[in-house]
Amino acid sequence: MSKKAVVLLSGGLDSATSAAIALKDGYDVMALSFNYGQRHNKELQASVKIAQALGIKEHYTIDVNLSGWGGSALTDSAIAIPEDGVKSDIIPITYVPGRNTVFIAIALSLAEAKGANAIFLGINAVDYSGYPDCRPDYLAAYQNLANLSSKVGVEGKAPQLIAPLIHDTKVDIVHRAIESGIPITDTWSCYLGENDPCGLCDSCRIRDKALIEAGYPEYATPVGKELYLTQNTSANAINTMSTLTSAKFPVLEDIRAGLPNICGFESQINEIVNTGEPVFLHSTNLRLEDINAGFACALHMHQPTLPAGFEGALISNLQYMFEHPAQGDNHNAGVFAWCYGRMGDFIPDLINSGCNPRIMLDYSGNLLWGLRQMGRDDIINNLKRITCDPQYQPYVEWLGTMWSHAVIPSTPIPDIKLHIQAWQHYFAAIFGYDALKRVKGFSPPEMHLPNHPDTLYEYIKALKECGYRWLMVQEHSIETLDGSGIPQDQKYIPNRLVAKNSHGETISITALIKTQGSDTKLVAQMQPYFEAKGRGKQTIGSKSIPSLVTQIADGENGGVMMNEFPRDFFRIYHEIRDQNGNHTGTVAVNGTEYLELIEAAGVTPDDYPTCQAVHQHKIWQRINLDAVTPEAVENAIAELKATDHRFNMDGASWTNDLSWVKGYENVLGPMNQFSALFHQKFDPIVALDPSVTHQDDYQQALLYNLLLQTSCFRYWGQGIWTDYARKIYDQGAAVIKFAVKPTSFRREI
């Protein structure tokens, strides 16, 4: 004969976990819920979902109206639910007189009638809101009553009152719930019955704190996340929020085997980034109908990694600058370091002064690793502050980029996605999965867009596979589908960037267009704001939307960014605050925030005007589009190179006056050779066992492969910089040569 149990199932996290434990312990479970005159029925709806999820077929809901005489904020709507936090020294007004006593009495009746051996309760004595009927001595007293008050009790067979969570912390309960497969989002704990949990009542506060500390901040309310940070010490709270991970995802160390953690967790990262949920729509304080035009400014930050340390060790160029202050402009090292961390001060200062700022940040993986190598936790923590603290969303948006500032047109195609994934790995390791989930825009180094059909196609394909929704492009790197320049107005609305490869396959991604060339002064003096003031709304499809001025600049480079930007960044936000109250007319807005706002208004990417990389029209004009082949594409390209001096396949960017290819054969040759060696060595192994990417030798070889593709080794000139590239090649080639093949594959490879 199977043992039976009655489970008191409120619909909350504790009772659901208690039910799962009863099932795990081998009980045939029947659920008992109560409609006791509570303020809402959300918890009863949750109890039905939980019972179904756990496969509990026998579920009773009993009407026991305790609201007739009131006495509790949960049963009397005239009594306000407290929202000022849990107080340990008082019994809160949310205590319902006699509730558990009544519930257990009815459960005893059901248990005796059904021959149940036990009654499972989700009460807890460690993290409770001060309720007297959640204590162990209360439960012991009630067990004595059960032994005396029934036929089965007199016979010595009274149901046992089992509270499996009574001595657990709330964090322990969360872990138990996850291990038991409880659908957390289907449970309901909030004392209010709104569409979403309030985050302010005692129950929400206790639950949110536990979810965050257990490593599941994604299940906490936005209010709860903010409260957690404000109620804890700043440094500890930020660190906690930045490193919390779901149990199904491993904690990512930023340094693994002495090197940056840039690979080995591809499947986990892929699951994190490929979600369709909005990023800023729930937190934006802007309304589309109030805005005439917006401006979106991004800061690009980068320092290359050099083989310039002791005995050729890899170090950041920033470290080299500090160690060699007399060389060139290395005396600026301290100012550069300040620039890398100062947004962590600027953004909070502006918010505290009543402003509504926005900034997009693009930091290369090289730079982030270099800061870690140098022990510059002051900079990292400043960035964590505005990245991981919910109160600074949506003010700050991170943009993805290539790991080591590789210009995409001359990057070997198989390495494009490796760069993108490496950056995602390292960003998640520093700032956490939740922060990575919000990175939806991509900033290509030097705004360099590939225009070879196959490279462009694979680039966009890699971006979309890695979860990116949009790409920033330079206005002179694109054209309309008929080969003409982009109309002026079209530069201030989203475009759909279309690519076709040599097999006739097409793919597209949303593009935001960076305007007005390359002058760093544009951002340093906040010219995008003044440009936006001269713009208005435009029509896409049947919808009127604000124009958007998009711009990016090096965040540390040149006297203007060091001196003028700190002045003008504050000045324009004070003006916006004082003239239009932050939210109307011309406003700052981040890229993803803007796209989510217009798409929520009914504009879809299919409504966007289309564009393509420059010179595509010339290629496709020479090809029968019904018979597109790689040979036909290459023949068309060869013909154009021979007859059109303005045609090239080197890509396009704001640096069109500089070549990233011509004159750099001494870098590009070894770079392509090393890439070929890397893929020849590892691709067959990874194809057989993807976990190989977690091995130390793969990680080291990948790092050298990506580092060698850093564009600085070209555009910073022949000589010492091209020599650095040669050293990286030599060091990396040794790693490739001595990389150990996994034992299981030695015979096959």
Side-chain angles (χ1 to χ4, degrees), residues 616-664:
Q616 301 303 288
H617 182 67
K618 291 180 178 180
I619 297 172
W620 301 118
Q621 266 190 320
R622 287 162 171 79
I623 298 172
N624 180 359
L625 298 182
D626 294 326
V628 178
T629 64
E631 294 77 16
V633 170
E634 290 307 317
N635 289 338
I637 291 173
E639 178 185 338
L640 285 163
K641 285 182 176 179
T643 60
D644 187 346
H645 71 277
R646 295 174 298 180
F647 179 87
N648 72 79
M649 284 286 95
D650 297 341
S653 85
W654 62 267
T655 57
N656 284 339
D657 59 319
L658 301 174
S659 175
W660 299 91
V661 177
K662 296 176 183 175
Y664 291 105

Side-chain angles (χ1 to χ4, degrees), residues 482-552:
D482 65 5
S484 59
I486 302 296
Q488 190 67 11
D489 286 347
Q490 189 174 322
K491 299 173 184 177
Y492 300 98
I493 57 176
N495 280 240
R496 187 160 55 89
L497 177 64
V498 180
K500 180 187 294 183
N501 67 9
S502 62
H503 297 281
E505 301 169 304
T506 61
I507 196 169
S508 67
I509 193 170
T510 297
L512 294 180
I513 300 174
K514 170 190 178 294
T515 59
Q516 292 197 35
S518 63
D519 194 347
T520 306
K521 282 181 176 284
L522 290 172
V523 172
Q525 299 175 348
M526 296 303 292
Q527 288 299 314
Y529 163 63
F530 299 103
E531 185 180 357
K533 289 176 73 173
R535 308 293 308 177
K537 294 193 175 187
Q538 296 194 55
T539 300
I540 298 183
S542 61
K543 304 294 182 180
S544 178
I545 67 167
S547 298
L548 181 70
V549 178
T550 305
Q551 188 55 262
I552 186 171

Side-chain angles (χ1 to χ4, degrees), residues 333-547:
V335 180
F336 277 25
W338 171 64
C339 290
Y340 297 139
R342 64 188 180 183
M343 295 312 297
D345 297 318
F346 287 6
I347 294 297
D349 287 350
L350 282 166
I351 294 170
N352 290 336
S353 65
C355 297
N356 196 36
R358 297 291 190 276
I359 197 66
M360 298 186 292
L361 299 177
D362 157 15
Y363 283 49
S364 72
N366 289 57
L367 173 58
L368 291 172
W369 179 38
L371 294 173
R372 276 299 198 204
Q373 284 180 297
M374 297 170 64
R376 292 304 300 263
D377 288 345
D378 57 326
I379 298 174
I380 295 292
N381 287 336
N382 237 22
L383 295 173
K384 280 186 175 181
R385 181 187 185 191
I386 56 174
T387 302
C388 305
D389 188 335
Q391 71 177 300
Y392 298 118
Q393 301 168 25
Y395 305 104
V396 178
E397 176 173 9
W398 280 89
L399 305 178
T401 190
M402 303 285 273
W403 163 262
S404 57
H405 205 271
V407 288
I408 294 112
S410 52
T411 299
I413 288 177
D415 296 325
I416 293 174
K417 189 173 183 179
L418 294 179
H419 273 280
I420 297 170
Q421 291 176 318
W423 186 92
Q424 290 179 318
H425 271 74
Y426 202 62
F427 183 86
I430 293 177
F431 298 105
Y433 290 118
D434 192 54
L436 177 62
K437 192 185 294 184
R438 299 194 299 272
V439 182
K440 294 302 174 186
F442 193 86
S443 174
E446 305 300 338
M447 287 293 105
H448 213 192
L449 187 70
N451 60 347
H452 189 288
D454 290 338
T455 307
L456 180 62
Y457 180 92
E458 292 300 325
Y459 175 41
I460 294 176
K461 180 171 178 280
L463 288 174
K464 298 186 73 164
E465 288 176 348
C466 292
Y468 288 101
R469 298 178 189 170
W470 64 273
L471 166 72
M472 192 184 301
V473 299
Q474 166 66 26
E475 62 179 333
H476 302 305
S477 67
I478 53 176
E479 64 185 21
T480 63
L481 299 189
D482 65 5
S484 59
I486 302 296
Q488 190 67 11
D489 286 347
Q490 189 174 322
K491 299 173 184 177
Y492 300 98
I493 57 176
N495 280 240
R496 187 160 55 89
L497 177 64
V498 180
K500 180 187 294 183
N501 67 9
S502 62
H503 297 281
E505 301 169 304
T506 61
I507 196 169
S508 67
I509 193 170
T510 297
L512 294 180
I513 300 174
K514 170 190 178 294
T515 59
Q516 292 197 35
S518 63
D519 194 347
T520 306
K521 282 181 176 284
L522 290 172
V523 172
Q525 299 175 348
M526 296 303 292
Q527 288 299 314
Y529 163 63
F530 299 103
E531 185 180 357
K533 289 176 73 173
R535 308 293 308 177
K537 294 193 175 187
Q538 296 194 55
T539 300
I540 298 183
S542 61
K543 304 294 182 180
S544 178
I545 67 167
S547 298

